[in-house]
Amino acid sequence: MKKKLRLTIRMRTVLEAYSFLSLWLIGFAMFMAIPLGRSFYYAFNKMNVTKEGLTPEWTGTLNFRRAFSTDVNFLPLLQNSFLELLIQVPLILIFAMFAALLLNRPLVGRTFFRGVFFLPVIIASGAVLAEILEQGAERMPLFTSTGLFMTLSNVIPPNILEPLLNLADQLTLVMWNSGVQILIFLAGLQTISSSLYEAADIDGATKWESFWKITFPMIAPMILVNTLFTIVNSFTAANNQMMAYIRTVVFNQNDYGYGAAIGWIYFLMIFLIIAFVFWLFRKNLSNTEGRR
Amino acid sequence: MSKTATQKWSDKVQADWVVTAKKRGGLFISKLSLYTVLISLSFVFLYPLLFIVSQSLMMSTDVSDSTVQWIPQSLSFSNYLDAFLALGGAQSRTYWDAFMYSGIISFGSAALQVFSCALAGYAFGRYRFPGYTLFLSLVLFAFLVPPQTIIVPLFQLFSDFGWINTFYPFIVPSLTGHGLKGALFVLIFIQFFHRLPFVLEEAARIDGASAFRTYWTIMLPLARPAMLVVFLFSVVWHWNDVFEPNLYLRVPNYYNLSQTLAIFNGVGSAQIDAATAGLNAAQTIGVAPTMMNKIMAAAMLSILPMLVLYLFTQRYFVESVERAGIAGE
């Protein structure tokens, strides 16, 4: 008790909270807020490399216009990375949910299976994944083998079959990317009390019904968490082409202003997607707020 | 009418606890299909590892031989020796030098992130203060900003400080609870601290402990599951990260494992390109001195430390995610 200061209890707790938070706040200012502001400023400038370092030269929205008009690489890249995200996120969610439901049952060797399902997070998330992808190992021989393609193309027209098989090929990548998501779903499943299922069973609900009426609503918050995690995780993925492109622009072409501009465009697009995700889950969010 | 209904009801009751032959058969089939699905999925998950191990033990002749799929005709451990030297990334460096750099970056940053993210998480999880909502949304914001957006000023900042080719660009942001996925770790700690009972703290405070002492001696030891999950994830993600090391370690003498692996791969493809220039796909078979086996040996060496770590901490990885409440509510 410091009597000299004569602080109220409320003041004291607030001070304590801020002192716990101070380190993080300093970091936020240095490594997030200021860089973000500076990168926003750079985006409207042409950065000239001179003896005194970088000198900005105001060009207005030129960098942004360049991204959408004269740069032949940027738009296809942006389109690809978002198309990939839009395909992968639902697939990862569905697969992770499926795997979590499987692993949540009483099993012999449950720890082993969980360990195996999580293995790609350890080994296939960085440079090694890039190597394996380059060798084409993610394409399971099952789907790309020409025999299957030829047989199926007699039945299904090739222009429908090809995207389908490509999607099937991507499935391995989807599985390798869903380790953390499986764990999150699993954690969610284990918080659901078994008495709910018992009650539903007594009332005559089938397994299918109790999945949609109990399991699904109960782990809906985890779906939001997983969606956000999957999106955020894709930024630093070893095969994120936008990352590679910005690095080339900045460090090989020394075009700092333009690099900042496309970084911002990417960010705004991501932000729109995330806003859309939050809008989808708005009902769910308001529910959890009430529960706390 | 009512009699048949009663009949059905009693049937159902009996069926729940009397295991009939028919039921046992159904149970067997559903068990069988469950394990079939699980084992075939496990194969997909083990596939990259099996692929790396099998390729890395092959002689060059086996790699280009299309009749050899998985099992090499003769084992060759010389790939590992070559990879061991090549992973140094520069002359007079071997695997160990790059390994040290990777180790310092990942274990150092991980330890610091545990320390700093726990502090921030404690503030959010246990206190209500003016600006709470604002700062919490800043955490979420920091989580969602792609690193691509801020690399230019961040690189500039670190080069102004003279921190390029040092560990500081990894260490200092980690010390303040930022760095690779720092915001996610703060969120994990928030969730964890939020769920602990308030009585513990109150008791300590009434007994006269200061806020920091309460945190350090009572709350932090309780947060061990969350600390463990943050530490392990941070180590693994830093180890596998290629983006930041490529940005901040720009001299071959300072390269870490993920960088030297990428370089080795580049050397390999360049050799293959040179050997196969001007040939069509069918002609290249057997001509190119493929380095795939050596590259895969290098890949194996670079993930081996993480595999060993995973082997011993697998239980914690999986369990602590549940206990630390990553999922939250």
Side-chain angles (χ1 to χ4, degrees):
Chain A
M1 280 285 204
K2 285 167 192 159
K3 280 186 181 152
K4 279 177 269 173
L5 277 170
R6 288 205 172 275
L7 292 171
T8 61
I9 290 177
R10 172 80 192 133
M11 284 280 278
R12 213 144 35 95
T13 30
V14 167
L15 270 182
E16 278 166 23
Y18 279 124
S19 55
F20 277 117
L21 199 59
S22 54
L23 200 57
W24 188 86
L25 282 178
I26 294 168
F28 184 82
M30 269 186 78
F31 304 117
M32 187 55 73
I34 293 174
L36 207 60
R38 279 171 91 173
S39 127
F40 189 68
Y41 175 64
Y42 290 174
F44 292 97
N45 285 280
K46 185 175 172 17
M47 305 302 291
N48 297 311
V49 185
T50 57
K51 273 176 196 165
E52 296 88 50
L54 290 174
T55 47
E57 182 193 320
W58 185 259
T59 54
T61 56
L62 181 72
N63 283 329
F64 292 95
R65 275 182 281 141
R66 183 179 147 197
F68 287 110
S69 54
T70 47
D71 190 341
V72 282
N73 297 321
F74 177 68
L75 267 186
L77 261 179
L78 193 72
Q79 211 179 334
N80 275 351
S81 55
F82 280 101
L83 207 62
E84 211 163 284
L85 204 64
L86 287 181
I87 295 171
Q88 289 228 342
V89 169
L91 283 180
I92 287 179
L93 288 180
I94 292 168
F95 177 74
M97 173 99 80
F98 173 70
L101 286 171
L102 276 184
L103 291 175
N104 197 38
R105 311 176 94 194
L107 290 170
V108 182
R110 185 160 133 176
T111 333
F112 167 78
F113 284 122
R114 278 195 202 175
V116 168
F117 277 46
F118 193 67
L119 189 67
V121 178
I122 312 292
I123 58 167
S125 60
V128 175
L129 177 73
E131 308 294 297
I132 300 174
L133 292 185
E134 202 166 291
Q135 309 291 358
E138 94 281 11
R139 309 212 144 217
M140 298 288 269
L142 188 66
F143 299 117
T144 35
S145 69
T146 43
L148 183 72
F149 182 78
M150 295 310 266
T151 332
L152 282 179
S153 64
N154 292 331
V155 195
I156 312 167
N159 49 348
I160 300 174
L161 183 64
E162 213 159 335
L164 268 181
L165 282 184
N166 275 331
L167 205 66
D169 274 338
Q170 276 198 349
L171 276 184
T172 36
L173 212 54
V174 164
M175 289 183 194
W176 292 352
N177 279 329
S178 51
V180 176
Q181 288 87 335
I182 291 174
L183 283 191
I184 292 176
F185 274 140
L186 209 52
L189 286 177
Q190 291 185 344
T191 59
I192 305 175
S193 146
S194 59
S195 58
L196 285 174
Y197 292 108
E198 278 163 26
D201 191 38
I202 288 166
D203 286 348
T206 59
K207 284 260 162 62
W208 178 251
E209 279 167 337
S210 58
F211 172 78
W212 287 107
K213 301 277 175 189
I214 301 172
T215 317
F216 194 75
M218 290 294 274
I219 58 170
M222 273 55 140
I223 300 176
L224 175 64
V225 170
N226 271 341
T227 311
L228 293 181
F229 180 82
T230 313
I231 293 173
V232 168
N233 209 28
S234 76
F235 300 156
T236 49
N239 53 350
N240 186 319
Q241 292 171 322
M242 191 51 79
M243 193 76 121
Y245 184 61
I246 292 179
R247 202 164 56 215
T248 319
V249 165
V250 171
F251 294 102
N252 297 0
Q253 303 164 10
N254 289 324
D255 208 340
Y256 295 93
Y258 184 57
I262 53 180
W264 264 92
I265 296 172
Y266 186 62
F267 176 39
L268 291 178
M269 295 286 177
I270 290 283
F271 207 78
L272 280 181
I273 291 190
I274 287 167
F276 176 69
V277 170
F278 271 108
W279 179 80
L280 277 182
F281 283 86
R282 65 200 181 283
K283 204 173 148 196
N284 205 269
L285 281 175
S286 57
N287 280 351
T288 40
E289 215 114 294
R291 213 192 292 167
R292 279 216 180 129
Chain B
M1 191 70 195
S2 67
K3 199 183 175 188
T4 51
T6 326
Q7 194 76 36
K8 271 181 188 163
W9 175 79
S10 64
D11 270 352
K12 193 173 182 301
V13 168
Q14 192 196 29
D16 271 348
W17 48 275
V18 174
V19 183
T20 58
K22 190 185 161 200
K23 214 178 173 189
R24 200 177 282 144
L27 213 65
F28 178 73
I29 288 171
S30 80
K31 272 263 160 71
L32 189 73
S33 51
L34 175 66
Y35 283 102
T36 315
V37 170
L38 276 174
I39 288 168
S40 40
L41 282 178
S42 300
F43 174 71
V44 177
F45 285 106
L46 286 171
Y47 187 79
L49 193 63
L50 295 175
F51 183 79
I52 292 172
V53 170
S54 132
Q55 292 285 334
S56 69
L57 290 174
M58 282 183 185
M59 314 263 286
S60 304
T61 49
D62 286 346
V63 178
S64 43
D65 188 346
S66 58
T67 57
V68 178
Q69 275 279 325
W70 284 101
I71 301 159
Q73 284 177 328
S74 57
L75 292 181
S76 154
F77 289 97
S78 66
N79 296 327
Y80 279 92
L81 198 68
D82 289 341
F84 187 83
L85 294 173
L87 277 179
Q91 221 111 73
S92 79
R93 273 178 114 228
T94 60
Y95 171 74
W96 290 122
D97 300 276
F99 173 84
M100 284 298 288
Y101 274 79
S102 279
I104 292 171
I105 290 171
S106 47
F107 283 89
S109 309
L112 289 171
Q113 275 188 329
V114 168
F115 166 76
S116 56
C117 296
L119 276 178
Y122 185 73
F124 285 113
R126 308 303 280 188
Y127 287 100
R128 286 290 180 279
F129 47 87
Y132 176 84
T133 322
L134 173 72
F135 291 135
L136 192 63
S137 44
L138 287 185
V139 177
L140 200 65
F141 182 75
F143 176 58
L144 298 175
V145 171
Q148 284 91 327
T149 311
I150 53 170
I151 51 168
V152 178
L154 218 49
F155 180 78
Q156 207 192 4
L157 182 79
F158 291 138
S159 63
D160 284 350
F161 288 158
W163 284 357
I164 302 302
N165 295 322
T166 65
F167 293 126
Y168 294 118
F170 306 94
I171 299 292
V172 177
S174 299
L175 182 67
T176 61
H178 291 264
L180 191 64
K181 295 207 169 70
L184 174 66
F185 297 141
V186 174
L187 290 173
I188 291 175
F189 275 115
I190 294 175
Q191 278 298 341
F192 187 84
F193 281 123
H194 191 75
R195 296 194 313 191
L196 290 179
F198 280 83
V199 196
L200 295 163
E201 253 169 335
E202 278 162 17
R205 297 307 292 275
I206 288 167
D207 286 349
S210 71
F212 278 98
R213 183 132 183 245
T214 315
Y215 169 73
W216 193 253
T217 55
I218 297 183
M219 300 310 279
L220 206 56
L222 284 175
R224 261 193 218 118
M227 288 164 78
L228 198 65
V229 74
V230 167
F231 182 76
L232 290 176
F233 273 108
S234 180
V235 166
V236 168
W237 280 332
H238 273 102
W239 190 277
N240 287 328
D241 186 31
V242 267
F243 171 66
E244 285 197 335
N246 264 335
L247 220 53
Y248 302 130
L249 302 175
R250 306 186 72 79
V251 183
N253 273 331
Y254 295 103
Y255 281 172
N256 75 355
L257 275 178
S258 56
Q259 286 172 292
T260 55
L261 179 64
I263 287 174
F264 188 43
N265 184 38
V267 172
S269 0
Q271 275 196 8
I272 293 170
D273 286 348
T276 57
L279 301 173
N280 65 35
Q283 286 172 311
T284 58
I285 296 169
V287 174
T290 175
M291 279 178 66
M292 184 140 71
N293 46 357
K294 296 192 173 70
I295 291 169
M296 283 301 131
M300 187 65 205
L301 278 179
S302 74
I303 54 167
L304 196 63
M306 289 300 104
L307 274 184
V308 172
L309 181 79
Y310 184 56
L311 210 61
F312 288 108
T313 56
Q314 190 252 103
R315 197 163 60 88
Y316 301 108
F317 261 107
V318 178
E319 276 175 16
S320 56
V321 170
E322 285 159 19
R323 273 187 293 158
I326 268 197
E329 56 242 34

